[in-house]
Amino acid sequence: MPKLSEEDKALRTKIILRIIELRGNKTDKQIEFAHELGVDKQQINSWESLSNDRGISIYSINKICNGLNKTLKEFFDSPIFIDENK
């Protein structure tokens, strides 16, 4: 699998920050969030890890959204995703 470009890494970071933000509004504990989503805590840790060389899939983001009763639009409709360069 090819490495992420710098632009992809920036987007991955924004997605991670958004996941942490939304999870933090519900629970501070990854294990509780994992239980609610029906995944292992290691999966949440992987999704939130900046050292992961892979990006998170849209399917995983959708799973998170479903667990938070959010739409994908609501997930991405955040100031985190505003590109200051455009």
Side-chain angles (χ1 to χ4, degrees):
M1 172 174 232
K3 292 194 177 206
L4 296 175
S5 69
E6 291 304 313
E7 183 179 12
D8 291 339
K9 288 178 184 178
L11 178 59
R12 180 193 60 190
T13 299
K14 291 175 183 182
I15 289 170
I16 290 169
L17 292 173
R18 183 66 169 148
I19 292 169
I20 292 169
E21 174 186 50
L22 291 173
R23 178 179 57 81
N25 290 339
K26 189 165 182 121
T27 179
D28 286 333
K29 300 190 185 292
Q30 285 183 339
I31 195 155
E32 290 174 12
F33 191 52
H35 180 71
E36 289 179 23
L37 295 180
V39 299
D40 294 331
K41 179 190 175 287
Q42 290 84 0
Q43 186 63 56
I44 302 295
N45 190 46
S46 173
W47 289 339
E48 294 182 358
S49 174
L50 286 172
S51 63
N52 188 347
D53 288 335
R54 298 181 60 186
I56 183 171
S57 74
I58 193 68
Y59 305 108
S60 296
I61 295 170
N62 192 53
K63 184 175 195 90
I64 292 166
C65 289
N66 288 337
L68 295 168
N69 295 315
K70 301 257 181 226
T71 65
L72 285 168
K73 181 181 180 328
E74 289 171 319
F75 181 89
F76 288 105
D77 189 21
S78 166
I80 289 172
F81 296 104
I82 294 174
D83 187 356
E84 298 83 22
N85 296 325
K86 291 186 178 182

PDB file of all heavy atoms in Angstrom, residues 17-43:
ATOM      1  N   LEU A  17      -8.913  14.079  14.797  1.00  0.00           N
ATOM      2  CA  LEU A  17      -9.351  15.113  15.744  1.00  0.00           C
ATOM      3  C   LEU A  17     -10.869  15.152  15.869  1.00  0.00           C
ATOM      4  O   LEU A  17     -11.402  15.328  16.957  1.00  0.00           O
ATOM      5  CB  LEU A  17      -8.814  16.485  15.315  1.00  0.00           C
ATOM      6  CG  LEU A  17      -7.305  16.663  15.429  1.00  0.00           C
ATOM      7  CD1 LEU A  17      -6.888  18.000  14.821  1.00  0.00           C
ATOM      8  CD2 LEU A  17      -6.859  16.559  16.880  1.00  0.00           C
ATOM      9  N   ARG A  18     -11.552  14.968  14.758  1.00  0.00           N
ATOM     10  CA  ARG A  18     -13.021  14.970  14.778  1.00  0.00           C
ATOM     11  C   ARG A  18     -13.557  13.754  15.529  1.00  0.00           C
ATOM     12  O   ARG A  18     -14.503  13.876  16.306  1.00  0.00           O
ATOM     13  CB  ARG A  18     -13.564  15.013  13.354  1.00  0.00           C
ATOM     14  CG  ARG A  18     -15.064  15.086  13.275  1.00  0.00           C
ATOM     15  CD  ARG A  18     -15.606  16.390  13.829  1.00  0.00           C
ATOM     16  NE  ARG A  18     -17.014  16.501  13.493  1.00  0.00           N
ATOM     17  CZ  ARG A  18     -17.929  17.107  14.224  1.00  0.00           C
ATOM     18  NH1 ARG A  18     -17.568  17.724  15.342  1.00  0.00           N
ATOM     19  NH2 ARG A  18     -19.172  17.151  13.846  1.00  0.00           N
ATOM     20  N   ILE A  19     -12.953  12.586  15.328  1.00  0.00           N
ATOM     21  CA  ILE A  19     -13.375  11.389  16.059  1.00  0.00           C
ATOM     22  C   ILE A  19     -13.188  11.600  17.552  1.00  0.00           C
ATOM     23  O   ILE A  19     -14.084  11.323  18.356  1.00  0.00           O
ATOM     24  CB  ILE A  19     -12.593  10.141  15.582  1.00  0.00           C
ATOM     25  CG1 ILE A  19     -12.981   9.788  14.151  1.00  0.00           C
ATOM     26  CG2 ILE A  19     -12.844   8.959  16.525  1.00  0.00           C
ATOM     27  CD1 ILE A  19     -12.071   8.739  13.518  1.00  0.00           C
ATOM     28  N   ILE A  20     -12.030  12.098  17.944  1.00  0.00           N
ATOM     29  CA  ILE A  20     -11.740  12.333  19.359  1.00  0.00           C
ATOM     30  C   ILE A  20     -12.718  13.353  19.932  1.00  0.00           C
ATOM     31  O   ILE A  20     -13.218  13.187  21.046  1.00  0.00           O
ATOM     32  CB  ILE A  20     -10.281  12.769  19.550  1.00  0.00           C
ATOM     33  CG1 ILE A  20      -9.340  11.602  19.209  1.00  0.00           C
ATOM     34  CG2 ILE A  20     -10.029  13.277  20.969  1.00  0.00           C
ATOM     35  CD1 ILE A  20      -7.875  11.984  19.097  1.00  0.00           C
ATOM     36  N   GLU A  21     -12.991  14.407  19.171  1.00  0.00           N
ATOM     37  CA  GLU A  21     -13.942  15.427  19.619  1.00  0.00           C
ATOM     38  C   GLU A  21     -15.326  14.817  19.853  1.00  0.00           C
ATOM     39  O   GLU A  21     -15.923  15.020  20.911  1.00  0.00           O
ATOM     40  CB  GLU A  21     -14.036  16.540  18.581  1.00  0.00           C
ATOM     41  CG  GLU A  21     -15.099  17.584  18.885  1.00  0.00           C
ATOM     42  CD  GLU A  21     -15.256  18.585  17.749  1.00  0.00           C
ATOM     43  OE1 GLU A  21     -15.408  18.169  16.579  1.00  0.00           O
ATOM     44  OE2 GLU A  21     -15.239  19.784  18.059  1.00  0.00           O
ATOM     45  N   LEU A  22     -15.818  14.076  18.891  1.00  0.00           N
ATOM     46  CA  LEU A  22     -17.159  13.495  19.017  1.00  0.00           C
ATOM     47  C   LEU A  22     -17.210  12.419  20.092  1.00  0.00           C
ATOM     48  O   LEU A  22     -18.181  12.334  20.848  1.00  0.00           O
ATOM     49  CB  LEU A  22     -17.623  12.931  17.672  1.00  0.00           C
ATOM     50  CG  LEU A  22     -17.906  13.979  16.595  1.00  0.00           C
ATOM     51  CD1 LEU A  22     -18.183  13.304  15.256  1.00  0.00           C
ATOM     52  CD2 LEU A  22     -19.062  14.882  16.997  1.00  0.00           C
ATOM     53  N   ARG A  23     -16.177  11.598  20.172  1.00  0.00           N
ATOM     54  CA  ARG A  23     -16.126  10.585  21.233  1.00  0.00           C
ATOM     55  C   ARG A  23     -16.084  11.249  22.594  1.00  0.00           C
ATOM     56  O   ARG A  23     -16.760  10.840  23.533  1.00  0.00           O
ATOM     57  CB  ARG A  23     -14.911   9.671  21.067  1.00  0.00           C
ATOM     58  CG  ARG A  23     -14.820   8.628  22.193  1.00  0.00           C
ATOM     59  CD  ARG A  23     -13.640   7.708  22.044  1.00  0.00           C
ATOM     60  NE  ARG A  23     -12.345   8.347  21.972  1.00  0.00           N
ATOM     61  CZ  ARG A  23     -11.651   8.786  23.024  1.00  0.00           C
ATOM     62  NH1 ARG A  23     -12.142   8.708  24.250  1.00  0.00           N
ATOM     63  NH2 ARG A  23     -10.454   9.332  22.854  1.00  0.00           N
ATOM     64  N   GLY A  24     -15.310  12.316  22.717  1.00  0.00           N
ATOM     65  CA  GLY A  24     -15.187  13.031  23.988  1.00  0.00           C
ATOM     66  C   GLY A  24     -16.497  13.654  24.440  1.00  0.00           C
ATOM     67  O   GLY A  24     -16.736  13.809  25.636  1.00  0.00           O
ATOM     68  N   ASN A  25     -17.360  14.010  23.491  1.00  0.00           N
ATOM     69  CA  ASN A  25     -18.675  14.527  23.852  1.00  0.00           C
ATOM     70  C   ASN A  25     -19.554  13.434  24.444  1.00  0.00           C
ATOM     71  O   ASN A  25     -20.507  13.722  25.153  1.00  0.00           O
ATOM     72  CB  ASN A  25     -19.381  15.123  22.627  1.00  0.00           C
ATOM     73  CG  ASN A  25     -18.738  16.408  22.153  1.00  0.00           C
ATOM     74  OD1 ASN A  25     -18.040  17.078  22.894  1.00  0.00           O
ATOM     75  ND2 ASN A  25     -18.969  16.744  20.902  1.00  0.00           N
ATOM     76  N   LYS A  26     -19.239  12.179  24.131  1.00  0.00           N
ATOM     77  CA  LYS A  26     -20.034  11.042  24.597  1.00  0.00           C
ATOM     78  C   LYS A  26     -19.367  10.362  25.785  1.00  0.00           C
ATOM     79  O   LYS A  26     -19.999  10.106  26.790  1.00  0.00           O
ATOM     80  CB  LYS A  26     -20.237  10.063  23.448  1.00  0.00           C
ATOM     81  CG  LYS A  26     -21.205   8.980  23.750  1.00  0.00           C
ATOM     82  CD  LYS A  26     -21.636   8.279  22.477  1.00  0.00           C
ATOM     83  CE  LYS A  26     -22.634   7.226  22.831  1.00  0.00           C
ATOM     84  NZ  LYS A  26     -23.891   7.371  22.199  1.00  0.00           N
ATOM     85  N   THR A  27     -18.095  10.053  25.650  1.00  0.00           N
ATOM     86  CA  THR A  27     -17.332   9.397  26.705  1.00  0.00           C
ATOM     87  C   THR A  27     -15.850   9.675  26.504  1.00  0.00           C
ATOM     88  O   THR A  27     -15.397   9.785  25.377  1.00  0.00           O
ATOM     89  CB  THR A  27     -17.572   7.873  26.744  1.00  0.00           C
ATOM     90  OG1 THR A  27     -16.766   7.308  27.786  1.00  0.00           O
ATOM     91  CG2 THR A  27     -17.234   7.210  25.433  1.00  0.00           C
ATOM     92  N   ASP A  28     -15.122   9.779  27.596  1.00  0.00           N
ATOM     93  CA  ASP A  28     -13.680   9.988  27.494  1.00  0.00           C
ATOM     94  C   ASP A  28     -12.929   8.675  27.334  1.00  0.00           C
ATOM     95  O   ASP A  28     -11.756   8.669  27.014  1.00  0.00           O
ATOM     96  CB  ASP A  28     -13.157  10.707  28.742  1.00  0.00           C
ATOM     97  CG  ASP A  28     -13.535  12.179  28.749  1.00  0.00           C
ATOM     98  OD1 ASP A  28     -13.715  12.748  27.668  1.00  0.00           O
ATOM     99  OD2 ASP A  28     -13.650  12.739  29.849  1.00  0.00           O
ATOM    100  N   LYS A  29     -13.611   7.579  27.538  1.00  0.00           N
ATOM    101  CA  LYS A  29     -12.943   6.283  27.533  1.00  0.00           C
ATOM    102  C   LYS A  29     -13.129   5.555  26.213  1.00  0.00           C
ATOM    103  O   LYS A  29     -14.239   5.338  25.758  1.00  0.00           O
ATOM    104  CB  LYS A  29     -13.469   5.434  28.679  1.00  0.00           C
ATOM    105  CG  LYS A  29     -13.240   6.077  30.038  1.00  0.00           C
ATOM    106  CD  LYS A  29     -13.538   5.112  31.136  1.00  0.00           C
ATOM    107  CE  LYS A  29     -13.434   5.742  32.491  1.00  0.00           C
ATOM    108  NZ  LYS A  29     -12.166   6.130  32.905  1.00  0.00           N
ATOM    109  N   GLN A  30     -11.998   5.179  25.607  1.00  0.00           N
ATOM    110  CA  GLN A  30     -12.042   4.438  24.350  1.00  0.00           C
ATOM    111  C   GLN A  30     -12.771   3.115  24.515  1.00  0.00           C
ATOM    112  O   GLN A  30     -13.502   2.691  23.620  1.00  0.00           O
ATOM    113  CB  GLN A  30     -10.629   4.170  23.829  1.00  0.00           C
ATOM    114  CG  GLN A  30      -9.941   5.357  23.233  1.00  0.00           C
ATOM    115  CD  GLN A  30      -8.572   4.997  22.671  1.00  0.00           C
ATOM    116  OE1 GLN A  30      -7.969   4.001  23.038  1.00  0.00           O
ATOM    117  NE2 GLN A  30      -8.084   5.850  21.788  1.00  0.00           N
ATOM    118  N   ILE A  31     -12.596   2.464  25.660  1.00  0.00           N
ATOM    119  CA  ILE A  31     -13.198   1.145  25.852  1.00  0.00           C
ATOM    120  C   ILE A  31     -14.723   1.224  25.874  1.00  0.00           C
ATOM    121  O   ILE A  31     -15.408   0.359  25.325  1.00  0.00           O
ATOM    122  CB  ILE A  31     -12.643   0.436  27.106  1.00  0.00           C
ATOM    123  CG1 ILE A  31     -12.993  -1.039  27.062  1.00  0.00           C
ATOM    124  CG2 ILE A  31     -13.104   1.091  28.371  1.00  0.00           C
ATOM    125  CD1 ILE A  31     -12.061  -1.921  27.839  1.00  0.00           C
ATOM    126  N   GLU A  32     -15.267   2.263  26.488  1.00  0.00           N
ATOM    127  CA  GLU A  32     -16.727   2.436  26.501  1.00  0.00           C
ATOM    128  C   GLU A  32     -17.242   2.713  25.093  1.00  0.00           C
ATOM    129  O   GLU A  32     -18.269   2.182  24.677  1.00  0.00           O
ATOM    130  CB  GLU A  32     -17.118   3.580  27.434  1.00  0.00           C
ATOM    131  CG  GLU A  32     -16.913   3.274  28.895  1.00  0.00           C
ATOM    132  CD  GLU A  32     -17.170   4.475  29.784  1.00  0.00           C
ATOM    133  OE1 GLU A  32     -17.729   5.497  29.315  1.00  0.00           O
ATOM    134  OE2 GLU A  32     -16.790   4.402  30.963  1.00  0.00           O
ATOM    135  N   PHE A  33     -16.538   3.535  24.368  1.00  0.00           N
ATOM    136  CA  PHE A  33     -16.920   3.869  23.002  1.00  0.00           C
ATOM    137  C   PHE A  33     -16.848   2.624  22.120  1.00  0.00           C
ATOM    138  O   PHE A  33     -17.749   2.364  21.317  1.00  0.00           O
ATOM    139  CB  PHE A  33     -16.008   4.978  22.483  1.00  0.00           C
ATOM    140  CG  PHE A  33     -16.443   5.589  21.186  1.00  0.00           C
ATOM    141  CD1 PHE A  33     -17.731   6.071  21.008  1.00  0.00           C
ATOM    142  CD2 PHE A  33     -15.551   5.704  20.134  1.00  0.00           C
ATOM    143  CE1 PHE A  33     -18.121   6.650  19.807  1.00  0.00           C
ATOM    144  CE2 PHE A  33     -15.934   6.279  18.929  1.00  0.00           C
ATOM    145  CZ  PHE A  33     -17.228   6.750  18.776  1.00  0.00           C
ATOM    146  N   ALA A  34     -15.791   1.843  22.283  1.00  0.00           N
ATOM    147  CA  ALA A  34     -15.640   0.612  21.512  1.00  0.00           C
ATOM    148  C   ALA A  34     -16.803  -0.337  21.790  1.00  0.00           C
ATOM    149  O   ALA A  34     -17.369  -0.926  20.858  1.00  0.00           O
ATOM    150  CB  ALA A  34     -14.312  -0.064  21.852  1.00  0.00           C
ATOM    151  N   HIS A  35     -17.169  -0.470  23.049  1.00  0.00           N
ATOM    152  CA  HIS A  35     -18.280  -1.342  23.417  1.00  0.00           C
ATOM    153  C   HIS A  35     -19.579  -0.878  22.750  1.00  0.00           C
ATOM    154  O   HIS A  35     -20.329  -1.698  22.223  1.00  0.00           O
ATOM    155  CB  HIS A  35     -18.438  -1.374  24.941  1.00  0.00           C
ATOM    156  CG  HIS A  35     -19.548  -2.240  25.410  1.00  0.00           C
ATOM    157  ND1 HIS A  35     -19.501  -3.610  25.337  1.00  0.00           N
ATOM    158  CD2 HIS A  35     -20.752  -1.919  25.942  1.00  0.00           C
ATOM    159  CE1 HIS A  35     -20.635  -4.098  25.804  1.00  0.00           C
ATOM    160  NE2 HIS A  35     -21.405  -3.098  26.179  1.00  0.00           N
ATOM    161  N   GLU A  36     -19.822   0.421  22.744  1.00  0.00           N
ATOM    162  CA  GLU A  36     -21.031   0.971  22.120  1.00  0.00           C
ATOM    163  C   GLU A  36     -21.056   0.712  20.610  1.00  0.00           C
ATOM    164  O   GLU A  36     -22.120   0.518  20.032  1.00  0.00           O
ATOM    165  CB  GLU A  36     -21.144   2.466  22.399  1.00  0.00           C
ATOM    166  CG  GLU A  36     -21.476   2.768  23.844  1.00  0.00           C
ATOM    167  CD  GLU A  36     -21.557   4.255  24.127  1.00  0.00           C
ATOM    168  OE1 GLU A  36     -21.792   5.043  23.190  1.00  0.00           O
ATOM    169  OE2 GLU A  36     -21.371   4.622  25.300  1.00  0.00           O
ATOM    170  N   LEU A  37     -19.880   0.740  19.967  1.00  0.00           N
ATOM    171  CA  LEU A  37     -19.805   0.520  18.527  1.00  0.00           C
ATOM    172  C   LEU A  37     -19.715  -0.959  18.159  1.00  0.00           C
ATOM    173  O   LEU A  37     -19.864  -1.318  16.989  1.00  0.00           O
ATOM    174  CB  LEU A  37     -18.589   1.242  17.935  1.00  0.00           C
ATOM    175  CG  LEU A  37     -18.585   2.760  17.997  1.00  0.00           C
ATOM    176  CD1 LEU A  37     -17.316   3.299  17.359  1.00  0.00           C
ATOM    177  CD2 LEU A  37     -19.808   3.350  17.332  1.00  0.00           C
ATOM    178  N   GLY A  38     -19.445  -1.794  19.159  1.00  0.00           N
ATOM    179  CA  GLY A  38     -19.299  -3.217  18.891  1.00  0.00           C
ATOM    180  C   GLY A  38     -17.971  -3.576  18.252  1.00  0.00           C
ATOM    181  O   GLY A  38     -17.897  -4.490  17.427  1.00  0.00           O
ATOM    182  N   VAL A  39     -16.924  -2.830  18.606  1.00  0.00           N
ATOM    183  CA  VAL A  39     -15.579  -3.105  18.103  1.00  0.00           C
ATOM    184  C   VAL A  39     -14.628  -3.225  19.289  1.00  0.00           C
ATOM    185  O   VAL A  39     -14.974  -2.891  20.414  1.00  0.00           O
ATOM    186  CB  VAL A  39     -15.082  -1.995  17.135  1.00  0.00           C
ATOM    187  CG1 VAL A  39     -15.986  -1.878  15.930  1.00  0.00           C
ATOM    188  CG2 VAL A  39     -14.965  -0.650  17.838  1.00  0.00           C
ATOM    189  N   ASP A  40     -13.416  -3.708  19.031  1.00  0.00           N
ATOM    190  CA  ASP A  40     -12.395  -3.795  20.071  1.00  0.00           C
ATOM    191  C   ASP A  40     -11.832  -2.413  20.375  1.00  0.00           C
ATOM    192  O   ASP A  40     -11.772  -1.550  19.495  1.00  0.00           O
ATOM    193  CB  ASP A  40     -11.240  -4.687  19.625  1.00  0.00           C
ATOM    194  CG  ASP A  40     -11.638  -6.137  19.455  1.00  0.00           C
ATOM    195  OD1 ASP A  40     -12.557  -6.602  20.143  1.00  0.00           O
ATOM    196  OD2 ASP A  40     -10.994  -6.799  18.628  1.00  0.00           O
ATOM    197  N   LYS A  41     -11.354  -2.248  21.595  1.00  0.00           N
ATOM    198  CA  LYS A  41     -10.704  -0.991  21.982  1.00  0.00           C
ATOM    199  C   LYS A  41      -9.505  -0.714  21.075  1.00  0.00           C
ATOM    200  O   LYS A  41      -9.223   0.432  20.737  1.00  0.00           O
ATOM    201  CB  LYS A  41     -10.267  -1.042  23.442  1.00  0.00           C
ATOM    202  CG  LYS A  41      -9.553   0.225  23.893  1.00  0.00           C
ATOM    203  CD  LYS A  41      -8.913   0.054  25.256  1.00  0.00           C
ATOM    204  CE  LYS A  41      -8.117   1.251  25.655  1.00  0.00           C
ATOM    205  NZ  LYS A  41      -6.862   1.403  24.936  1.00  0.00           N
ATOM    206  N   GLN A  42      -8.831  -1.769  20.643  1.00  0.00           N
ATOM    207  CA  GLN A  42      -7.670  -1.609  19.767  1.00  0.00           C
ATOM    208  C   GLN A  42      -8.073  -0.962  18.448  1.00  0.00           C
ATOM    209  O   GLN A  42      -7.285  -0.228  17.852  1.00  0.00           O
ATOM    210  CB  GLN A  42      -6.991  -2.966  19.502  1.00  0.00           C
ATOM    211  CG  GLN A  42      -6.279  -3.531  20.706  1.00  0.00           C
ATOM    212  CD  GLN A  42      -7.219  -4.297  21.645  1.00  0.00           C
ATOM    213  OE1 GLN A  42      -8.410  -4.410  21.409  1.00  0.00           O
ATOM    214  NE2 GLN A  42      -6.669  -4.804  22.732  1.00  0.00           N
ATOM    215  N   GLN A  43      -9.289  -1.233  17.995  1.00  0.00           N
ATOM    216  CA  GLN A  43      -9.766  -0.618  16.755  1.00  0.00           C
ATOM    217  C   GLN A  43      -9.933   0.886  16.948  1.00  0.00           C
ATOM    218  O   GLN A  43      -9.533   1.676  16.092  1.00  0.00           O
ATOM    219  CB  GLN A  43     -11.096  -1.238  16.309  1.00  0.00           C
ATOM    220  CG  GLN A  43     -11.557  -0.742  14.962  1.00  0.00           C
ATOM    221  CD  GLN A  43     -10.612  -1.111  13.848  1.00  0.00           C
ATOM    222  OE1 GLN A  43     -10.312  -2.268  13.641  1.00  0.00           O
ATOM    223  NE2 GLN A  43     -10.117  -0.136  13.132  1.00  0.00           N
TER     224      GLN A  43
END
